[in-house]
């Protein structure tokens, strides 16, 4: 029988304390190594939420095998009612953010079928060409403007421009899309919300309100675009989604709105994080950059997988036990919550040799940086791989001495392992 400890914090590793996630990345990695070495999973209390009763807490799954088993068994480890946050948000927020990530089959399967059909070969071919063209333009403008913030000048631009173009969002709205997605995923960072730690417990409630506002704005934009595409269909993804009819199944307005939000948020933040971390990793490990440049086309695939493994842009997701289940010598009870820590699974010593090393030739590399195997594996994984590959080829071919220059300014978040700013330097050709 699983017995919850009287105190969840045995030492300084409190995964429910936002301050833990502000610690240096090496310290965080060492903390998770200690958790993996323990006999069983730790139980943590939910973070406090204003005007709400304390939640039941959660088990932290930190081993690769446990994350894989939970991912492969959605009937036991359910994504409902929530898979994205430790706590359950209020009902008024669900209508904006309750996307397919927070669903099990058959609801999840229905939306995924319709969405997958919308990603036609013609659309994907156009996107691949667009990635190349935009990468060239971004590097042109980087050279023209000179060294500066790599995140703003490069990492953030490619993914947000690609996903906005796919959806048919007008170019003059790109900056607004970026601001709104920063709020949705950076809701615990004072820079994006104006909410500071000295506000205490109230900051969580204010953070939810900010997320609700940004999400509502994205839904309004989706609804407006959707209505336009129903009247006048085009060849963009929005048109394909709102006009899709698969054996009589169509997306409702709410389903389209939540998927639209998912696309612009996930399609922007995670790839941007991987590209920014990639430059930092190649700067810290110049021998790996040299290795890549010796045979770029032959090694870029492995390099992308290793960047995603080491950086793990999405730190964790949640699952909810539908029945009692024993895993790795521990019994979980129906109703328990577990958090799948992908960042820890990606450094599991039992799976990866020298897991803290950055090795672009690592093989095999069974990382879970795009989520674990199962129905919720990242729908945009191949697009992300393409964007990262093309961006670094364009950068390192034209600016071979490009490197990070100084400490990155990290996002304060327990969900996204992001960089807000990263100074870079290079010699102009």
């Amino acid at each position: 029988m699983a017995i919850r400890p009287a105190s969840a914090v045995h030492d300084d590793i409190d995964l429910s304390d936002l301050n833990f996630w502000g610690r240096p990345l090496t310290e965080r990695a060492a903390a998770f190594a200690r958790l993996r070495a323990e006999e069983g999973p730790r139980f943590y209390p939910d973070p406090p939420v204003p005007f709400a009763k304390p939640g039941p807490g959660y088990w932290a799954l930190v081993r690769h095998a446990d994350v894989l088993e939970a991912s492969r068994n959605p009937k036991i480890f359910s994504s409902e009612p929530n898979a994205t946050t430790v706590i359950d948000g209020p009902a008024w927020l669900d209508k904006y953010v309750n996307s397919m990530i927070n669903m099990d089959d058959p609801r999840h399967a229905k939306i995924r079928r319709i969405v997958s059909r919308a990603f036609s070969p013609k659309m994907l071919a156009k996107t691949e060409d667009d990635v190349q063209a935009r990468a060239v333009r971004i590097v042109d403008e980087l050279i023209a403007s000179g060294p500066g913030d790599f995140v703003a000048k490069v990492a953030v631009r490619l993914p947000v421009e690609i996903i906005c173009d796919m959806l048919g969002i007008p170019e003059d709205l790109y900056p607004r899309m970026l601001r709104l997605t920063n709020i949705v995923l950076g809701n615990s960072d004072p820079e994006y919300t104006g909410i500071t730690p000295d506000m205490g417990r109230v900051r969580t409630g204010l953070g939810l309100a900010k997320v609700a506002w940004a999400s509502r704005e994205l839904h309004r934009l989706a609804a407006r675009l959707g209505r336009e595409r129903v009247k006048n269909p085009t060849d963009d993804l929005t048109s394909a989604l709102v006009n899709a009819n698969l054996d009589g199944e169509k997306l409702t307005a709410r389903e389209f709105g939540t998927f639209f939000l998912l696309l612009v948020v996930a399609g922007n933040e995670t790839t941007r994080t991987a590209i920014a971390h990639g430059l930092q990793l190649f700067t810290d490990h110049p021998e790996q950059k040299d290795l890549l440049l010796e045979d770029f086309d032959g090694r870029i695939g492995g390099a992308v997988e290793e960047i995603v493994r080491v950086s793990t842009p999405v730190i964790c997701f949640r699952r909810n036990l539908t029945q009692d289940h024993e895993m790795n010598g521990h019994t979980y009870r129906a109703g328990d919550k577990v958090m799948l820590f992908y960042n820890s699974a990606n450094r599991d010593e039992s799976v990866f040799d020298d897991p803290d090393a950055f090795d672009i030739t690592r093989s095999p590399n069974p990382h879970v940086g795009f989520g674990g195997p199962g129905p919720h594996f990242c729908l945009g994984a191949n697009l992300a791989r393409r964007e990262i590959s093309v961006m670094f080829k364009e950068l390192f071919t034209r600016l071979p001495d490009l490197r990070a220059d100084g400490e990155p300014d990290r996002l304060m978040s327990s969900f996204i392992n992001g960089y807000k700013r990263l100074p870079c330097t290079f010699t102009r050709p």
Side-chain angles (χ1 to χ4, degrees), residues 355-367:
D356 292 327
F358 176 59
D359 177 9
I360 66 170
T361 65
R362 185 182 297 277
S363 181
N365 191 352
H367 68 81

Side-chain angles (χ1 to χ4, degrees), residues 4 43-46 54-59 86 335-338:
R4 293 169 171 76
F43 186 82
Y44 287 94
D46 286 343
Y58 61 93
W59 298 99
V86 177
D336 280 354
K337 295 189 299 186
V338 296

Side-chain angles (χ1 to χ4, degrees), residues 22-56:
R23 289 161 64 174
L25 297 180
T26 52
E27 285 188 22
R28 275 182 11 192
F32 276 102
R34 284 159 56 192
L35 293 179
R36 289 192 300 273
E38 293 181 354
E39 185 175 347
R42 284 201 193 181
F43 186 82
Y44 287 94
D46 286 343
V49 181
F51 317 116
K53 294 180 180 179

Side-chain angles (χ1 to χ4, degrees), residues 297-320:
D297 291 338
R299 291 179 177 146
I300 185 59
V304 170
E305 300 307 316
E306 184 69 346
I307 289 169
V308 173
R309 182 192 73 87
V310 175
S311 64
T312 311
V314 176
I315 296 170
C316 59
F317 272 126
R318 168 182 150 188
R319 295 293 184 265
N320 311 278

Side-chain angles (χ1 to χ4, degrees), residues 95-101 103 111-112 114-116 118-119 163 167 219 222 237-238 241 251-267 379-380:
K95 65 181 179 180
Y96 299 122
V97 300
N98 193 21
S99 68
M100 60 189 285
I101 285 183
M103 297 178 188
I111 295 177
R112 189 143 182 150
I114 296 171
V115 166
S116 298
F119 283 88
I163 199 64
L167 288 164
H219 271 253
L237 185 56
T238 292
L241 289 170
L251 293 179
T252 65
R254 179 169 169 178
E255 287 171 341
F256 169 67
T258 56
F259 184 67
F260 180 95
L261 186 149
L262 175 63
L263 275 178
V264 295
V265 171
L379 189 65

Side-chain angles (χ1 to χ4, degrees), residues 276-327:
H277 274 273
L279 181 63
Q280 184 69 62
L281 287 166
F282 282 121
T283 300
D284 293 342
H285 304 276
E287 78 288 351
Q288 294 297 305
K289 181 181 175 183
D290 292 341
L291 197 62
L292 175 63
L293 294 179
E294 285 175 9
D295 180 12
F296 190 95
D297 291 338
R299 291 179 177 146
I300 185 59
V304 170
E305 300 307 316
E306 184 69 346
I307 289 169
V308 173
R309 182 192 73 87
V310 175
S311 64
T312 311
V314 176
I315 296 170
C316 59
F317 272 126
R318 168 182 150 188
R319 295 293 184 265
N320 311 278
L321 272 291
T322 61
Q323 63 187 59
D324 292 358
H325 182 72
E326 184 169 328
M327 180 173 70

